[in-house]
Amino acid sequence: MTSAPTASAPPPVLRRLSPPLTALAAVAVPAAYVAVVDPNTPGHYPDCPFLTATGWWCPGCGGLRCVHALTHGDLTGALHDNAVLVLLSGVLAVLWLRWGWAALTGGPPPRVTVGARRWALIALLVLVFTVVRNSSIGAGLAPPLV
């Protein structure tokens, strides 16, 4: 006769890993699509409405090209297409690894808190990136027109 697990017993490893693995799949499936369907070829993806309306690159412009370059191992091309997304991808990868390790070892998931000052700093950095990539000094940060 087997006894029921106590309330303090950790859940099985696969059950603990299911949230981080689900999150990984939610990112990997669209990334795989972008890896196969090249955004540098016109006609596959819609144009950015902000770019169409203003003629300026928004902070997300070049994101699909950046993902395509990253999935093909082209870090230089990815940085050229969208440096902010490369930085964000690195931060999210580290956070995901910490989450996965905590789930694997049964530890508590890492807590990430972003206060008002950090949100303001992030918004300021994104704004500066947007202005610089649309100026002549930051032309190397703008993705190529397709």
Side-chain angles (χ1 to χ4, degrees):
M1 183 172 192
T2 61
S3 63
T6 63
S8 63
V13 69
L14 288 178
R15 190 163 145 219
R16 290 191 316 255
L17 282 172
S18 67
L21 291 177
T22 302
L24 178 64
V27 172
V29 169
Y33 179 81
V34 174
V36 173
V37 182
D38 188 357
N40 294 300
T41 305
H44 294 292
Y45 301 98
D47 293 334
C48 172
F50 185 81
L51 177 63
T52 303
T54 65
W56 275 45
W57 300 106
C58 79
C61 279
L64 291 174
R65 293 184 189 123
C66 176
V67 170
H68 181 78
L70 285 174
T71 58
H72 289 272
D74 181 10
L75 183 59
T76 304
L79 283 166
H80 178 269
D81 291 333
N82 195 317
V84 168
L85 184 57
V86 173
L87 176 65
L88 179 63
S89 298
V91 168
L92 291 177
V94 169
L95 291 174
W96 183 87
L97 287 170
R98 289 180 57 203
W99 183 23
W101 181 254
L104 185 64
T105 60
R111 291 186 46 109
V112 177
T113 56
V114 181
R117 294 182 84 192
R118 286 189 181 158
W119 278 119
L121 179 61
I122 290 167
L124 179 64
L125 290 173
V126 169
L127 179 65
V128 168
F129 171 71
T130 303
V131 171
V132 168
R133 80 187 313 207
N134 285 289
S135 68
S136 58
I137 62 169
L141 295 173
L145 285 171
V146 175

